[in-house]
Amino acid sequence: MRRFVASVAFLAILLPGVAAAADVTMVFGGDVMLGRAVRDQIVKLGNNDGAWATTKVAEVFRNAQLAFVNLESPFAPGPALGYSLVFRADPSHVTALTKAGIDVVSFANNHSRNQGGAGIQTTLALLKKNTIAPAGAGLSSSEAYAPRYLKAGDLSVAVLAYTYNEKAPVSPLSKPTIAGMDIGRMQAAVKGAYVIVSMHAGTEYTLTRTTQQTRFAHAAIDAGADLVIGHHPHWVQPVEQYKGKPILYSLGNLVFDQPWSLETQQGAVAVATVRDGKVVQVKLKIVKIDRAAQPRWMTPAEAAPVLKRIGLPSSIVRF
């Protein structure tokens, strides 16, 4: 979409009194990690162009009026770090996002600080240079919690994102930081807005949502959110309708190097249709990650077991 207007981490807002002239399509992907083996594969198989990592799924994101993913690795100069839990993405590989038409990312997650405050600064600057809104992170606490405003068709959209591992009360007030799952601050930001909230939370490698996920997602809907998008468990988790609104507890991986299990090589991309200020349908498109780096769309037969695992009879959920 490429229409970044201003500054939160995951909300879509329909301003009061403004009606959507036509259906708006918003596409949400899960965890994107461009370091470790993904970085190696981009160099080896992608001619050092990050776009290789997303090329097989990019068209769906590019054709949406708003496209979102969770950015799981900070961009920072320096060599590859090998296979560790400290991530570093090559800044030149930002093309994985730009050539897929990503408009906004959540950068509120447990790996945002892997390259320290300088890594947050470098990432924020690179995203802004490429007209990608960085949600849930900022050069100060107030900036990290502030909405990112965009346009999606005729909708004015804001984005709010939060992570489980940032303790808001001790966040530096004037240093690069990220937004924690402070329900009070989230509810204050959501009030008066038509909202989609992103949360980075849950237990890794499990199908079962946690009390924290449920409580935070329900609080977001109670405060006025229209859709809640989750990530972090690295598995696709179930969809819930709460007060007639969708909560996708985890979309799983989109670009990640976790080939040791079937579930970590699978992910969901949510295609949401918004009509007259309401999400009326969410379609899940299931991906398989090949070569520990590159997602492709699954066939319906391949996707069926994934949908069954999360309790859906089909890929389309209507509201």
Side-chain angles (χ1 to χ4, degrees):
M1 182 189 87
R2 205 75 29 243
R3 298 193 192 100
F4 171 39
V5 180
S7 177
V8 154
F10 213 75
L11 301 173
I13 298 177
L14 177 63
L15 295 181
V18 179
D23 287 358
V24 172
T25 301
M26 302 183 184
V27 176
F28 308 103
D31 294 328
V32 172
M33 196 284 295
L34 299 172
R36 291 196 316 196
V38 176
R39 177 172 174 158
D40 293 343
Q41 296 289 61
I42 289 171
V43 172
K44 180 181 177 181
L45 301 176
N47 197 29
N48 204 30
D49 183 354
W52 172 87
T54 52
T55 187
K56 293 185 178 181
V57 298
E59 186 176 3
V60 168
F61 287 91
R62 282 198 301 264
N63 288 342
Q65 277 108 354
L66 185 143
F68 163 92
V69 298
N70 173 58
L71 179 61
E72 191 83 359
S73 51
F75 290 103
L81 296 174
Y83 203 89
S84 75
L85 291 177
V86 178
F87 300 161
R88 176 193 287 154
D90 185 329
S92 73
H93 294 168
V94 71
T95 51
L97 305 178
T98 58
K99 292 187 179 180
I102 302 302
D103 301 298
V104 55
V105 301
S106 167
F107 194 51
N109 59 66
N110 57 308
H111 290 283
S112 300
R113 296 185 181 280
N114 278 183
Q115 298 303 313
I120 295 177
Q121 286 182 289
T122 299
T123 301
L124 295 179
L126 182 66
L127 293 171
K128 290 176 182 179
K129 179 181 178 181
N130 286 279
T131 325
I132 298 173
L139 300 181
S140 66
S141 181
S142 59
E143 183 179 321
Y145 283 90
R148 307 290 181 218
Y149 294 104
L150 304 94
K151 289 287 289 183
D154 292 330
L155 296 181
S156 293
V157 176
V159 181
L160 288 167
Y162 307 90
T163 180
Y164 74 94
N165 71 315
E166 177 65 15
K167 303 300 182 184
V170 297
S171 297
L173 297 178
S174 59
K175 295 182 180 180
T177 191
I178 55 181
M181 292 175 70
D182 182 320
I183 288 180
R185 292 185 77 161
M186 178 271 292
Q187 290 177 321
V190 169
K191 284 182 178 178
Y194 180 83
V195 172
I196 302 168
V197 174
S198 169
M199 63 176 180
H200 194 77
T203 301
E204 293 179 312
Y205 320 122
T206 181
L207 188 66
T208 305
R209 69 182 191 249
T210 64
T211 300
Q212 184 187 41
Q213 283 173 283
T214 303
R215 182 169 175 249
F216 192 83
H218 286 188
I221 298 293
D222 289 341
D226 185 64
L227 173 63
V228 177
I229 300 291
H231 33 84
H232 175 63
H234 302 293
W235 284 24
V236 181
Q237 291 185 336
V239 177
E240 179 188 16
Q241 291 197 43
Y242 176 70
K243 295 186 175 180
K245 297 181 179 180
I247 301 170
L248 289 80
Y249 280 98
S250 174
L251 294 175
N253 289 332
L254 182 61
V255 178
F256 225 107
D257 60 348
Q258 295 182 323
W260 61 76
S261 74
L262 184 65
E263 293 86 353
T264 53
Q265 295 178 77
Q266 300 168 337
V269 171
V271 181
T273 301
V274 180
R275 180 178 304 149
D276 296 327
K278 174 179 171 57
V279 173
V280 294
Q281 175 181 289
V282 175
K283 180 176 182 179
L284 295 185
K285 294 178 67 66
I286 308 300
V287 300
K288 164 67 168 59
I289 302 172
D290 294 328
R291 304 180 183 88
Q294 189 183 55
R296 62 165 174 86
W297 301 119
M298 283 188 174
T299 66
E302 289 177 308
V306 181
L307 296 171
K308 182 178 180 180
R309 188 191 311 139
I310 62 173
L312 291 181
S314 77
S315 63
I316 295 178
V317 183
R318 292 185 172 87
F319 299 88

